[in-house]
């Protein structure tokens, strides 16, 4: 056995060990979100129409798609620090990507919703977003639009009359269909050659320094809250989760964002104050990691994070 063969065997062993470790610490993203087994194409089509309908905003100019663009190469968020509402009003927090939202156990930065069903109507009646006066106004607009008749009839043949419950179900079904898959998924699922050398090195650093302590499970985040407490300046007027819970102990706690598609969805953090992924990684290095990391290691981490992007998106 020559040295080339030994090198190949050793390298293959290193990659498969890394693949095994990533499966254990992160896990494979399923092909469909929980609950999607009850969805059908008619329900998804209704949700898609609702998602794109700018007549459901106060002055008929904005839709869910405005802040969460998904067509073509767009990766599910508008890349603004904070989005603007129907009348140009500035939103409070950075808009996250809607891709893979069906897997999230926590909705919103402050976790004020636990399910997509609970969240579905919020953007329409939020005064900083689409600004409708009430759920009743939303329902009335849909009931008065004959273009919806066939969509509700197809989705709910036994009860085709529009209702808030049916609207929620349609939006949830559509949002659950927005599953993105990446080269990292290929690597975890079967192909040990899916990642390049620098990307593998970045993955190893990600696992070794403890990034998965917070960016955990198959979304690499989104399942817990963490306190944003660093030397860097953020919007101190935003108290985070405590604004929902009323508990002072929750001051400056925010949902840990999932990292899938992260390199396509700048700017970063709850206030959208960091414009580059490299700077975001650098700042996160100030948290309680197992060890400090160098500039060259930050570059490797960014190389790995790029593998988390949906293969069809570039934003």
């Amino acid at each position: 056995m020559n040295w080339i063969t030994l090198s190949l065997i050793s390298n293959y062993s290193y990659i498969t060990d890394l693949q095994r470790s990533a499966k254990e610490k992160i896990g494979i993203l399923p092909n469909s979100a929980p609950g999607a087994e009850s969805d059908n194409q008619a329900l998804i089509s209704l949700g898609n129409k609702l998602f794109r309908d700018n007549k459901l905003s106060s002055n008929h100019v904005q839709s869910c798609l405005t802040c969460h663009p998904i067509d073509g190469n767009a990766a599910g968020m508008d890349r603004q620090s904070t989005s603007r509402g129907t009348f140009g009003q500035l939103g409070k927090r950075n808009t996250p990507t809607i891709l893979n939202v069906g897997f999230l156990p926590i909705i919103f930065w402050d976790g004020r919703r636990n399910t997509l069903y609970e969240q579905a109507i919020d953007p329409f009646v939020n005064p900083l977003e689409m600004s409708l006066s009430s759920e009743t106004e939303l329902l009335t607009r849909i009931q008065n639009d004959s273009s919806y008749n066939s969509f509700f009839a197809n989705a709910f043949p036994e009860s085709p009359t529009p209702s808030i419950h049916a609207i929620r179900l349609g939006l949830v079904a559509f949002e659950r269909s927005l599953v993105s898959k990446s080269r990292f998924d290929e690597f975890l699922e079967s192909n040990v050659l899916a990642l390049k050398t620098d990307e593998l090195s970045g993955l190893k650093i990600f696992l070794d320094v403890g990034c998965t302590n917070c960016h955990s499970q198959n979304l690499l985040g989104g399942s817990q809250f963490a306190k944003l407490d660093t030397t860097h300046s953020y919007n101190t007027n935003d108290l985070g989760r405590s604004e929902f819970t009323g508990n002072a102990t929750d001051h400056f706690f925010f949902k840990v964002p999932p990292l899938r598609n992260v390199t396509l969805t700048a700017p970063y953090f709850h206030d959208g104050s960091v414009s580059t992924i490299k700077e975001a990684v650098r700042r996160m290095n100030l948290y309680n990691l197992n060890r400090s990391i160098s500039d060259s290691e930050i570059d490797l981490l960014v190389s790995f994070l790029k593998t988390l992007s949906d293969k069809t998106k570039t934003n």
Side-chain angles (χ1 to χ4, degrees):
M1 187 178 295
N2 60 38
W3 69 270
I4 296 178
T5 303
L6 287 172
S7 177
L8 290 173
I9 292 172
S10 175
N11 190 49
Y12 182 80
S13 177
Y14 163 77
I15 296 173
T16 55
D17 286 345
L18 190 56
Q19 181 193 54
R20 187 180 308 110
S21 180
K23 284 182 180 179
E24 292 172 356
K25 293 184 178 181
I26 297 172
I28 293 174
L29 188 74
N31 291 322
S32 59
E37 63 277 2
S38 63
D39 300 334
N40 56 50
Q41 190 54 54
L43 198 57
I44 292 171
S45 294
L46 169 62
N48 183 34
K49 179 173 173 60
L50 291 163
F51 189 85
R52 296 171 179 275
D53 191 351
N54 58 17
K55 298 188 298 297
L56 302 181
S57 62
S58 186
N59 64 356
H60 295 207
V61 299
Q62 190 180 41
S63 69
C64 303
L65 187 70
T66 305
C67 297
H68 295 288
I70 54 175
D71 294 336
N73 296 327
M77 59 87 70
D78 59 8
R79 305 203 67 172
Q80 303 299 309
S81 293
T82 56
S83 300
R84 292 192 176 274
T86 298
F87 301 106
Q89 62 273 43
L90 195 62
K92 185 171 184 177
R93 294 173 181 147
N94 179 253
T95 300
T97 177
I98 200 168
L99 300 179
N100 299 315
V101 70
F103 295 101
L104 283 174
I106 299 170
I107 312 296
F108 294 118
W109 284 100
D110 58 13
R112 65 185 182 273
R113 295 288 184 264
N114 293 319
T115 68
L116 287 178
Y117 182 86
E118 293 173 351
Q119 178 273 340
I121 303 300
D122 289 359
F124 298 102
V125 298
N126 188 321
L128 296 180
E129 297 183 51
M130 297 163 76
S131 306
L132 295 183
S133 61
S134 65
E135 291 183 4
T136 300
E137 183 180 0
L138 171 65
L139 183 57
T140 299
R141 290 191 178 204
I142 292 171
Q143 289 174 331
N144 291 338
D145 185 345
S146 61
S147 70
Y148 276 102
N149 293 348
S150 62
F151 285 88
F152 278 93
N154 291 335
F156 303 98
E158 296 181 0
S159 53
T161 302
S163 68
I164 291 296
H165 174 62
I167 293 167
R168 289 182 185 272
L169 291 178
L171 284 166
V172 169
F174 175 66
E175 290 171 359
R176 280 197 292 233
S177 74
L178 302 175
V179 177
S180 72
K181 286 294 189 136
S182 64
R183 283 194 295 116
F184 180 63
D185 292 298
E186 288 184 16
F187 173 73
L188 285 189
E189 291 169 5
S190 60
N191 183 8
V192 295
L193 302 179
L195 302 188
K196 302 173 184 176
T197 301
D198 59 337
E199 296 164 347
L200 292 168
S201 297
L203 170 59
K204 189 172 192 312
I205 295 168
F206 187 88
L207 299 175
D208 287 350
V209 302
C211 298
T212 54
N213 292 339
C214 293
H215 292 285
S216 58
Q217 302 181 29
N218 50 35
L219 287 181
L220 295 97
S223 60
Q224 61 180 294
F225 299 95
K227 188 175 184 179
L228 192 62
D229 186 14
T230 78
T231 59
H232 291 286
S233 176
Y234 295 95
N235 179 9
T236 56
N237 294 320
D238 189 343
L239 297 180
R241 183 156 171 74
S242 67
E243 295 184 7
F244 165 63
T245 65
N247 298 326
T249 54
D250 288 331
H251 280 359
F252 305 116
F253 275 82
F254 296 88
K255 179 180 72 175
V256 176
L259 295 181
R260 286 179 172 275
N261 297 296
V262 66
T263 60
L264 302 179
T265 53
Y268 302 106
F269 297 101
H270 68 286
D271 59 355
S273 60
V274 175
S275 60
T276 69
I277 186 62
K278 187 170 181 177
E279 177 61 20
V281 172
R282 187 187 306 281
R283 293 194 183 194
M284 291 307 300
N285 184 40
L286 297 177
Y287 286 84
N288 295 321
L289 296 179
N290 294 330
R291 64 175 176 82
S292 297
I293 54 177
S294 65
D295 284 348
S296 61
E297 288 177 313
I298 289 174
D299 288 337
L300 291 173
L301 280 167
V302 171
S303 293
F304 161 63
L305 293 175
K306 289 179 179 179
T307 73
L308 302 175
S309 298
D310 184 286
K311 290 179 290 185
T312 69
K313 303 294 185 180
T314 61
N315 232 2

